[in-house]
Amino acid sequence: MGERNRIQYTVLILKGMAMGAADVVPGVSGGTIAFISGIYEELITSINNINLSLFRTWRNEGFMAFWRQLNGGFLLALFSGIFISVASLAKMISWLLENQPILLWSFFFGLVLASVLVVARAIERWTLAKILFLIAGAALAWYITSLPPIEDTTSLPFLFLSGALAICAMILPGISGAFILVLLGSYKTVLDAVHERELGLIVTVGIGAVFGLLSFARILKWMFSNYKDLTLTLLTGFILGSLNKIWPWKEVLETKVYGEKVVAIAEQNVSPFSFSGDNQLLFAIVLAILGFSLIFILEKLAARN
């Protein structure tokens, strides 16, 4: 976590933007992007540094010592990228989800599938215990992504809880924070709040997210410090199981009307050849390959840096 130059900080902002774009999509985790781009453990460690001793450092040694202990340049660049991406891409992602879902999901399916291989390669030696952790993680993620969503809500205490749970998922590779919001019935409320700049709702979710982030980062830091390989195995399982949610071809079982919009709330995966309508198979394959390749390009860039 040494000093960085301007180019490295620019790269960090771009990685943050990639994380933000992934987090907007229900089913894709920004934590996965952080992991394959080589910044995951630094992110967890930096968040874990936020505690009372940090503010004692500021009082006793000054702001610069506080900033170094926080790894503030790293966090500022990364979260700036996430904010830019969420603020600028939320409307476009919403449009793509509504108008080109197969192509969008195909790109992310390839991206997440490649992420499974990247994370699995970081595990030093496979044992029976690690295989069991992999299966458990995949089964848990598959189960979570199969749950039906609950009714949409604008209750502020519930939105606080939604923010806390969603941010935990956002920094956990394989489980999507946006999908957690869908399950909790808060996704449309939060997305609309971002579109319409409803500061009260945004601040409530944000405070919940800060609470969840600071709490969950300590658990992850402990797991990486004491059981790194088992943690990586579990995360690989999470990513593998999440593929259930982002399979591009789905049959809608139940819908719900939000104003003028009709939203699918219950779906099942189908083969592209039994999909009713244009399966866009050729373009879907091309975008899946593009997403798959992008992960390995990002991995090489991360290794070079």
Side-chain angles (χ1 to χ4, degrees):
M1 298 191 292
E3 292 294 323
R4 289 179 163 93
N5 57 38
R6 287 186 179 180
I7 294 176
Q8 290 171 321
Y9 279 120
T10 302
V11 170
L12 268 180
I13 292 173
L14 293 175
K15 289 178 180 180
M17 291 179 68
M19 288 177 63
D23 280 327
V24 171
V25 179
V28 185
S29 169
T32 302
I33 303 298
F35 193 96
I36 57 92
S37 61
I39 58 173
Y40 189 73
E41 288 192 59
E42 183 175 359
L43 173 60
I44 298 304
T45 300
S46 299
I47 294 170
N48 202 52
N49 287 341
I50 302 173
N51 51 42
L52 291 177
S53 70
L54 186 66
F55 297 97
R56 283 196 295 268
T57 299
W58 188 352
R59 185 182 60 192
N60 298 330
E61 302 178 40
F63 178 78
M64 292 309 298
F66 159 88
W67 192 250
R68 284 193 298 271
Q69 183 178 332
L70 176 64
N71 198 17
F74 168 82
L75 290 176
L76 178 62
L78 193 66
F79 282 98
S80 294
I82 292 173
F83 175 80
I84 291 168
S85 189
V86 170
S88 61
L89 294 180
K91 190 169 290 189
M92 185 185 76
I93 294 294
S94 296
W95 185 89
L96 288 172
L97 282 169
E98 185 174 342
N99 294 280
Q100 295 293 341
I102 291 177
L103 300 183
L104 182 67
W105 289 126
S106 295
F107 173 78
F108 280 111
F109 189 88
L111 187 148
V112 173
L113 183 61
S115 300
V116 174
L117 302 179
V118 170
V119 179
R121 281 196 327 207
I123 300 166
E124 293 185 0
R125 186 171 59 89
W126 285 92
T127 62
L128 178 59
K130 291 174 186 175
I131 293 172
L132 293 176
F133 266 68
L134 175 72
I135 295 171
L140 178 60
W142 190 282
Y143 172 73
I144 290 172
T145 56
S146 301
L147 290 172
I150 65 176
E151 287 292 318
D152 192 66
T153 179
T154 57
S155 162
L156 292 183
F158 194 80
L159 288 174
F160 174 89
L161 177 64
S162 297
L165 293 176
I167 199 68
C168 293
M170 284 180 183
I171 62 171
L172 191 64
I175 297 183
S176 159
F179 182 65
I180 295 299
L181 290 178
V182 171
L183 288 182
L184 294 173
S186 307
Y187 180 71
K188 183 180 182 298
T189 301
V190 173
L191 204 61
D192 286 347
V194 173
H195 288 168
E196 298 166 17
R197 306 295 192 266
E198 296 181 24
L199 293 181
L201 295 182
I202 294 171
V203 168
T204 300
V205 175
I207 293 172
V210 170
F211 176 81
L213 188 64
L214 296 181
S215 304
F216 192 57
R218 281 158 176 71
I219 298 173
L220 282 176
K221 175 65 176 176
W222 180 85
M223 290 174 66
F224 268 102
S225 299
N226 295 277
Y227 303 100
K228 183 173 182 177
D229 262 17
L230 286 178
T231 302
L232 288 174
T233 307
L234 190 64
L235 297 182
T236 303
F238 284 158
I239 301 171
L240 184 62
S242 73
L243 290 171
N244 169 56
K245 173 61 185 171
I246 56 177
W247 178 251
W249 295 276
K250 300 178 185 296
E251 177 184 337
V252 177
L253 302 177
E254 185 179 353
T255 61
K256 185 173 178 61
V257 178
Y258 293 101
E260 298 179 355
K261 293 181 67 176
V262 179
V263 179
I265 61 171
E267 300 171 313
Q268 68 177 9
N269 295 332
V270 297
S271 161
F273 303 106
S274 59
F275 179 77
S276 60
D278 183 6
N279 61 19
Q280 299 176 282
L281 187 58
L282 179 59
F283 288 116
I285 291 173
V286 170
L287 284 168
I289 293 172
L290 179 62
F292 190 90
S293 304
L294 181 61
I295 289 299
F296 292 100
I297 293 170
L298 288 173
E299 185 193 26
K300 288 185 182 297
L301 289 175
R304 186 177 301 171
N305 289 333

